[in-house]
Short mmCIF file of all heavy atoms in Angstrom, two decimals:
data_model
loop_
_atom_site.label_atom_id
_atom_site.label_comp_id
_atom_site.label_asym_id
_atom_site.label_seq_id
_atom_site.Cartn_x
_atom_site.Cartn_y
_atom_site.Cartn_z
N GLU A 180 89.35 49.31 -52.90
CA GLU A 180 89.15 49.08 -51.46
C GLU A 180 87.82 49.58 -50.94
O GLU A 180 87.29 49.06 -49.93
CB GLU A 180 90.29 49.65 -50.59
CG GLU A 180 91.62 49.09 -50.90
CD GLU A 180 92.71 49.68 -50.06
OE1 GLU A 180 92.45 50.40 -49.04
OE2 GLU A 180 93.90 49.42 -50.30
N ARG A 181 87.26 50.69 -51.49
CA ARG A 181 86.01 51.24 -50.93
C ARG A 181 85.44 52.27 -51.84
O ARG A 181 85.97 52.48 -52.88
CB ARG A 181 86.38 51.94 -49.60
CG ARG A 181 87.44 52.94 -49.79
CD ARG A 181 88.07 53.39 -48.52
NE ARG A 181 89.32 54.30 -48.83
CZ ARG A 181 89.81 55.07 -47.91
NH1 ARG A 181 89.28 55.23 -46.72
NH2 ARG A 181 90.85 55.85 -48.26
N ILE A 182 84.23 52.80 -51.50
CA ILE A 182 83.67 53.85 -52.17
C ILE A 182 84.04 55.18 -51.44
O ILE A 182 84.02 55.17 -50.16
CB ILE A 182 82.06 53.73 -52.22
CG1 ILE A 182 81.66 52.53 -53.02
CG2 ILE A 182 81.47 55.03 -52.77
CD1 ILE A 182 80.19 52.31 -53.00
N CYS A 183 84.32 56.23 -52.22
CA CYS A 183 84.79 57.44 -51.57
C CYS A 183 83.89 58.52 -52.23
O CYS A 183 83.60 58.59 -53.45
CB CYS A 183 86.19 57.83 -51.78
SG CYS A 183 87.37 56.55 -51.28
N PHE A 184 83.61 59.62 -51.48
CA PHE A 184 82.88 60.75 -51.97
C PHE A 184 83.68 62.01 -51.59
O PHE A 184 84.08 62.21 -50.47
CB PHE A 184 81.44 60.95 -51.45
CG PHE A 184 80.80 62.17 -51.94
CD1 PHE A 184 80.36 62.20 -53.23
CD2 PHE A 184 80.62 63.26 -51.10
CE1 PHE A 184 79.82 63.42 -53.72
CE2 PHE A 184 80.12 64.47 -51.58
CZ PHE A 184 79.64 64.48 -52.86
N TYR A 185 83.91 62.85 -52.62
CA TYR A 185 84.61 64.13 -52.45
C TYR A 185 83.66 65.23 -52.85
O TYR A 185 83.15 65.32 -53.95
CB TYR A 185 85.91 64.18 -53.29
CG TYR A 185 86.57 65.50 -53.20
CD1 TYR A 185 87.33 65.86 -52.17
CD2 TYR A 185 86.40 66.41 -54.21
CE1 TYR A 185 88.02 67.06 -52.01
CE2 TYR A 185 87.08 67.69 -54.22
CZ TYR A 185 87.83 67.95 -53.07
OH TYR A 185 88.43 69.22 -53.01
N ALA A 186 83.32 66.11 -51.89
CA ALA A 186 82.44 67.23 -52.12
C ALA A 186 83.16 68.39 -52.76
O ALA A 186 84.20 68.76 -52.18
CB ALA A 186 81.80 67.71 -50.85
N HIS A 187 82.66 68.87 -53.84
CA HIS A 187 83.37 70.00 -54.55
C HIS A 187 83.35 71.28 -53.82
O HIS A 187 84.36 72.05 -53.85
CB HIS A 187 82.78 70.15 -55.95
CG HIS A 187 82.95 68.99 -56.86
ND1 HIS A 187 82.46 68.91 -58.18
CD2 HIS A 187 83.58 67.75 -56.61
CE1 HIS A 187 82.81 67.78 -58.69
NE2 HIS A 187 83.45 67.06 -57.74
N ASP A 188 82.31 71.63 -53.09
CA ASP A 188 82.12 72.86 -52.46
C ASP A 188 82.98 73.04 -51.22
O ASP A 188 83.54 74.11 -50.93
CB ASP A 188 80.72 73.21 -52.17
CG ASP A 188 79.95 72.20 -51.31
OD1 ASP A 188 80.57 71.14 -51.00
OD2 ASP A 188 78.84 72.47 -50.87
N ASP A 189 83.07 72.00 -50.33
CA ASP A 189 83.78 72.19 -49.07
C ASP A 189 84.89 71.21 -48.82
O ASP A 189 85.49 71.10 -47.76
CB ASP A 189 82.79 72.15 -47.91
CG ASP A 189 82.09 70.83 -47.79
OD1 ASP A 189 82.46 69.92 -48.49
OD2 ASP A 189 81.21 70.77 -46.84
N SER A 190 85.21 70.39 -49.84
CA SER A 190 86.25 69.44 -49.86
C SER A 190 86.04 68.31 -48.75
O SER A 190 87.03 67.70 -48.33
CB SER A 190 87.66 70.10 -49.61
OG SER A 190 87.92 70.97 -50.66
N ALA A 191 84.84 68.16 -48.38
CA ALA A 191 84.54 67.05 -47.47
C ALA A 191 84.89 65.70 -48.14
O ALA A 191 84.69 65.56 -49.38
CB ALA A 191 83.04 67.04 -47.05
N PHE A 192 85.34 64.74 -47.38
CA PHE A 192 85.63 63.50 -47.97
C PHE A 192 84.92 62.40 -47.08
O PHE A 192 85.20 62.32 -45.85
CB PHE A 192 87.18 63.25 -47.95
CG PHE A 192 87.66 62.07 -48.67
CD1 PHE A 192 87.74 62.06 -50.01
CD2 PHE A 192 88.10 60.95 -47.90
CE1 PHE A 192 88.15 60.97 -50.69
CE2 PHE A 192 88.50 59.86 -48.61
CZ PHE A 192 88.62 59.83 -50.02
N LEU A 193 84.20 61.50 -47.70
CA LEU A 193 83.56 60.38 -46.94
C LEU A 193 83.94 59.13 -47.57
O LEU A 193 84.22 59.01 -48.78
CB LEU A 193 81.95 60.53 -47.17
CG LEU A 193 81.33 61.88 -46.78
CD1 LEU A 193 79.89 61.86 -47.21
CD2 LEU A 193 81.51 62.03 -45.28
N THR A 194 84.01 58.06 -46.81
CA THR A 194 84.38 56.69 -47.27
C THR A 194 83.35 55.71 -46.78
O THR A 194 82.73 55.83 -45.68
CB THR A 194 85.76 56.32 -46.70
OG1 THR A 194 85.78 56.24 -45.36
CG2 THR A 194 86.81 57.27 -47.25
N PHE A 195 83.19 54.71 -47.58
CA PHE A 195 82.28 53.58 -47.29
C PHE A 195 83.01 52.28 -47.72
O PHE A 195 83.19 52.04 -48.94
CB PHE A 195 80.99 53.75 -48.21
CG PHE A 195 80.39 55.08 -48.08
CD1 PHE A 195 80.63 56.11 -49.03
CD2 PHE A 195 79.47 55.42 -47.00
CE1 PHE A 195 80.06 57.38 -48.83
CE2 PHE A 195 78.92 56.71 -46.90
CZ PHE A 195 79.23 57.73 -47.87
N ASP A 196 83.32 51.46 -46.74
CA ASP A 196 83.99 50.22 -46.97
C ASP A 196 82.98 49.22 -47.61
O ASP A 196 81.86 49.21 -47.26
CB ASP A 196 84.56 49.56 -45.71
CG ASP A 196 85.75 50.36 -45.22
OD1 ASP A 196 86.56 50.85 -46.03
OD2 ASP A 196 85.81 50.58 -43.98
N TYR A 197 83.45 48.53 -48.63
CA TYR A 197 82.51 47.54 -49.25
C TYR A 197 81.82 46.60 -48.35
O TYR A 197 80.68 46.29 -48.48
CB TYR A 197 83.29 46.75 -50.38
CG TYR A 197 83.74 47.63 -51.57
CD1 TYR A 197 85.08 47.80 -51.89
CD2 TYR A 197 82.78 48.28 -52.29
CE1 TYR A 197 85.41 48.64 -52.94
CE2 TYR A 197 83.17 49.05 -53.38
CZ TYR A 197 84.47 49.28 -53.72
OH TYR A 197 84.84 50.06 -54.76
N TYR A 198 82.62 46.10 -47.38
CA TYR A 198 81.96 45.11 -46.42
C TYR A 198 80.98 45.71 -45.52
O TYR A 198 80.13 44.97 -44.89
CB TYR A 198 82.98 44.41 -45.62
CG TYR A 198 83.88 45.23 -44.67
CD1 TYR A 198 83.44 45.46 -43.46
CD2 TYR A 198 85.08 45.79 -45.08
CE1 TYR A 198 84.12 46.21 -42.55
CE2 TYR A 198 85.85 46.59 -44.20
CZ TYR A 198 85.34 46.84 -42.91
OH TYR A 198 86.02 47.59 -42.10
N GLU A 199 80.89 47.06 -45.52
CA GLU A 199 79.85 47.69 -44.74
C GLU A 199 78.64 48.14 -45.51
O GLU A 199 77.68 48.75 -44.99
CB GLU A 199 80.52 48.88 -43.94
CG GLU A 199 81.54 48.47 -42.92
CD GLU A 199 82.18 49.69 -42.19
OE1 GLU A 199 82.13 50.79 -42.78
OE2 GLU A 199 82.72 49.48 -41.16
N ILE A 200 78.69 47.93 -46.79
CA ILE A 200 77.54 48.35 -47.66
C ILE A 200 76.44 47.23 -47.55
O ILE A 200 76.78 46.09 -47.85
CB ILE A 200 78.01 48.50 -49.12
CG1 ILE A 200 78.93 49.81 -49.11
CG2 ILE A 200 76.77 48.80 -50.03
CD1 ILE A 200 79.53 50.05 -50.48
N ASP A 201 75.29 47.64 -47.18
CA ASP A 201 74.20 46.69 -47.03
C ASP A 201 73.53 46.25 -48.26
O ASP A 201 73.14 45.13 -48.48
CB ASP A 201 73.07 47.25 -46.06
CG ASP A 201 73.58 47.84 -44.76
OD1 ASP A 201 74.44 47.07 -44.23
OD2 ASP A 201 73.23 48.88 -44.34
N ALA A 202 73.40 47.16 -49.22
CA ALA A 202 72.72 46.93 -50.51
C ALA A 202 73.07 47.98 -51.55
O ALA A 202 73.33 49.11 -51.19
CB ALA A 202 71.23 46.78 -50.32
N VAL A 203 73.00 47.55 -52.77
CA VAL A 203 73.11 48.45 -53.95
C VAL A 203 71.73 48.29 -54.77
O VAL A 203 71.42 47.22 -55.04
CB VAL A 203 74.34 48.20 -54.80
CG1 VAL A 203 74.27 49.04 -56.10
CG2 VAL A 203 75.57 48.38 -54.05
N ILE A 204 71.10 49.43 -55.02
CA ILE A 204 69.83 49.31 -55.73
C ILE A 204 70.26 49.76 -57.18
O ILE A 204 70.79 50.85 -57.40
CB ILE A 204 68.78 50.31 -55.19
CG1 ILE A 204 68.58 50.15 -53.72
CG2 ILE A 204 67.51 50.24 -55.99
CD1 ILE A 204 68.12 48.78 -53.33
N LEU A 205 70.03 48.85 -58.14
CA LEU A 205 70.32 49.06 -59.54
C LEU A 205 69.28 50.09 -60.12
O LEU A 205 68.04 49.82 -60.10
CB LEU A 205 70.35 47.85 -60.29
CG LEU A 205 71.41 46.82 -59.84
CD1 LEU A 205 71.41 45.66 -60.66
CD2 LEU A 205 72.83 47.46 -59.91
N HIS A 206 69.76 51.22 -60.61
CA HIS A 206 68.93 52.16 -61.26
C HIS A 206 69.79 52.81 -62.41
O HIS A 206 70.93 53.03 -62.24
CB HIS A 206 68.62 53.30 -60.25
CG HIS A 206 67.53 54.19 -60.63
ND1 HIS A 206 67.80 55.26 -61.60
CD2 HIS A 206 66.25 54.28 -60.55
CE1 HIS A 206 66.71 55.85 -61.79
NE2 HIS A 206 65.67 55.35 -61.19
N PRO A 207 69.11 52.97 -63.63
CA PRO A 207 69.95 53.39 -64.80
C PRO A 207 70.45 54.83 -64.68
O PRO A 207 71.45 55.14 -65.31
CB PRO A 207 68.99 53.21 -65.91
CG PRO A 207 67.59 53.28 -65.31
CD PRO A 207 67.78 52.75 -63.92
N ASP A 208 69.76 55.70 -63.94
CA ASP A 208 70.23 57.09 -63.82
C ASP A 208 70.81 57.52 -62.48
O ASP A 208 71.08 58.75 -62.32
CB ASP A 208 69.03 57.98 -64.20
CG ASP A 208 68.48 57.61 -65.51
OD1 ASP A 208 69.25 57.43 -66.45
OD2 ASP A 208 67.14 57.73 -65.69
N GLU A 209 70.91 56.66 -61.49
CA GLU A 209 71.39 57.04 -60.21
C GLU A 209 72.20 55.91 -59.57
O GLU A 209 72.03 54.76 -59.93
CB GLU A 209 70.21 57.32 -59.24
CG GLU A 209 69.30 58.40 -59.66
CD GLU A 209 68.07 58.57 -58.67
OE1 GLU A 209 67.58 57.52 -58.28
OE2 GLU A 209 67.80 59.71 -58.39
N VAL A 210 73.00 56.29 -58.62
CA VAL A 210 73.67 55.27 -57.72
C VAL A 210 72.95 55.33 -56.38
O VAL A 210 72.90 56.43 -55.77
CB VAL A 210 75.20 55.54 -57.62
CG1 VAL A 210 75.82 54.64 -56.61
CG2 VAL A 210 75.91 55.40 -58.92
N ILE A 211 72.40 54.26 -55.93
CA ILE A 211 71.72 54.23 -54.67
C ILE A 211 72.36 53.07 -53.91
O ILE A 211 72.35 51.87 -54.31
CB ILE A 211 70.23 53.96 -54.85
CG1 ILE A 211 69.60 55.01 -55.68
CG2 ILE A 211 69.54 53.90 -53.44
CD1 ILE A 211 68.18 54.74 -56.13
N PHE A 212 72.88 53.33 -52.64
CA PHE A 212 73.42 52.26 -51.79
C PHE A 212 73.05 52.58 -50.38
O PHE A 212 72.84 53.69 -49.94
CB PHE A 212 74.87 52.03 -52.00
CG PHE A 212 75.79 53.13 -51.69
CD1 PHE A 212 76.41 53.17 -50.45
CD2 PHE A 212 76.14 54.19 -52.56
CE1 PHE A 212 77.28 54.15 -50.01
CE2 PHE A 212 76.98 55.16 -52.20
CZ PHE A 212 77.55 55.20 -50.96
N TYR A 213 73.06 51.52 -49.61
CA TYR A 213 72.83 51.65 -48.17
C TYR A 213 74.13 51.23 -47.39
O TYR A 213 74.67 50.22 -47.65
CB TYR A 213 71.67 50.72 -47.71
CG TYR A 213 70.37 51.22 -48.23
CD1 TYR A 213 69.95 50.96 -49.58
CD2 TYR A 213 69.50 51.95 -47.41
CE1 TYR A 213 68.69 51.47 -50.01
CE2 TYR A 213 68.27 52.45 -47.92
CZ TYR A 213 67.90 52.16 -49.24
OH TYR A 213 66.67 52.64 -49.63
N ASN A 214 74.50 52.04 -46.45
CA ASN A 214 75.58 51.76 -45.60
C ASN A 214 75.21 51.96 -44.19
O ASN A 214 74.69 53.08 -43.86
CB ASN A 214 76.65 52.82 -46.01
CG ASN A 214 77.90 52.70 -45.09
OD1 ASN A 214 78.15 53.47 -44.25
ND2 ASN A 214 78.81 51.73 -45.45
N HIS A 215 75.31 50.88 -43.39
CA HIS A 215 74.84 50.90 -42.01
C HIS A 215 73.31 51.35 -41.93
O HIS A 215 73.00 52.13 -41.01
CB HIS A 215 75.71 51.79 -41.13
CG HIS A 215 77.09 51.31 -40.93
ND1 HIS A 215 77.42 50.16 -40.23
CD2 HIS A 215 78.23 51.76 -41.33
CE1 HIS A 215 78.70 49.97 -40.22
NE2 HIS A 215 79.23 50.87 -40.95
N GLY A 216 72.58 51.02 -42.86
CA GLY A 216 71.14 51.29 -42.93
C GLY A 216 70.78 52.62 -43.40
O GLY A 216 69.60 53.03 -43.59
N GLU A 217 71.79 53.45 -43.72
CA GLU A 217 71.54 54.87 -44.19
C GLU A 217 71.59 54.82 -45.73
O GLU A 217 72.44 54.21 -46.32
CB GLU A 217 72.63 55.80 -43.72
CG GLU A 217 72.53 55.89 -42.19
CD GLU A 217 72.54 57.32 -41.67
OE1 GLU A 217 72.59 58.24 -42.46
OE2 GLU A 217 72.53 57.50 -40.45
N ARG A 218 70.62 55.50 -46.36
CA ARG A 218 70.55 55.59 -47.79
C ARG A 218 71.40 56.71 -48.28
O ARG A 218 71.34 57.77 -47.82
CB ARG A 218 69.08 55.79 -48.18
CG ARG A 218 68.84 55.83 -49.66
CD ARG A 218 67.32 55.99 -49.84
NE ARG A 218 67.07 56.22 -51.27
CZ ARG A 218 65.89 56.51 -51.73
NH1 ARG A 218 64.91 56.68 -50.96
NH2 ARG A 218 65.76 56.75 -53.05
N HIS A 219 72.11 56.44 -49.42
CA HIS A 219 73.07 57.44 -50.01
C HIS A 219 72.70 57.32 -51.57
O HIS A 219 72.59 56.27 -52.15
CB HIS A 219 74.51 57.04 -49.84
CG HIS A 219 74.83 56.89 -48.41
ND1 HIS A 219 75.03 57.95 -47.56
CD2 HIS A 219 75.12 55.79 -47.67
CE1 HIS A 219 75.31 57.57 -46.38
NE2 HIS A 219 75.40 56.23 -46.39
N ILE A 220 72.52 58.51 -52.18
CA ILE A 220 72.15 58.61 -53.56
C ILE A 220 73.01 59.62 -54.30
O ILE A 220 73.24 60.70 -53.84
CB ILE A 220 70.68 59.07 -53.69
CG1 ILE A 220 69.71 58.10 -52.99
CG2 ILE A 220 70.28 59.15 -55.22
CD1 ILE A 220 68.32 58.75 -52.88
N LEU A 221 73.53 59.19 -55.48
CA LEU A 221 74.15 60.11 -56.39
C LEU A 221 73.20 60.21 -57.55
O LEU A 221 72.89 59.29 -58.20
CB LEU A 221 75.51 59.63 -56.84
CG LEU A 221 76.29 60.60 -57.68
CD1 LEU A 221 76.93 61.70 -56.82
CD2 LEU A 221 77.38 59.93 -58.49
N SER A 222 72.71 61.48 -57.75
CA SER A 222 71.78 61.76 -58.85
C SER A 222 72.29 62.93 -59.76
O SER A 222 73.37 63.45 -59.51
CB SER A 222 70.41 62.06 -58.27
OG SER A 222 70.50 63.23 -57.50
N ASP A 223 71.47 63.24 -60.76
CA ASP A 223 71.90 64.28 -61.66
C ASP A 223 73.38 64.13 -62.11
O ASP A 223 74.17 65.01 -62.12
CB ASP A 223 71.72 65.67 -61.03
CG ASP A 223 70.28 65.99 -60.59
OD1 ASP A 223 69.39 65.53 -61.28
OD2 ASP A 223 70.09 66.54 -59.56
N ILE A 224 73.65 62.90 -62.60
CA ILE A 224 75.01 62.52 -62.92
C ILE A 224 75.39 63.16 -64.21
O ILE A 224 74.75 63.08 -65.26
CB ILE A 224 75.14 60.95 -63.01
CG1 ILE A 224 74.93 60.44 -61.61
CG2 ILE A 224 76.49 60.58 -63.53
CD1 ILE A 224 74.75 58.92 -61.52
#
């Protein structure tokens, strides 16, 4: 249904519905996506 992020240090939980994702940038070592114009990156995977 969506992308979810769970922060290990403070148990924060964020969600991003697929229909609200503006773009996914393909990168071999990171996940980069835009949601409502805001850039989100998962690195050091």
Side-chain angles (χ1 to χ4, degrees):
E180 295 183 12
R181 57 195 170 160
I182 294 175
C183 305
F184 176 74
Y185 175 76
H187 295 179
D188 58 351
D189 64 3
S190 300
F192 188 78
L193 306 170
T194 63
F195 309 93
D196 291 321
Y197 291 117
Y198 65 87
E199 295 178 339
I200 295 175
D201 306 318
V203 174
I204 309 300
L205 298 178
H206 191 280
D208 300 323
E209 298 177 320
V210 172
I211 304 169
F212 66 95
Y213 289 81
N214 176 261
H215 294 292
E217 300 228 358
R218 183 176 171 188
H219 306 285
I220 303 171
L221 186 75
S222 61
D223 301 324
I224 296 170

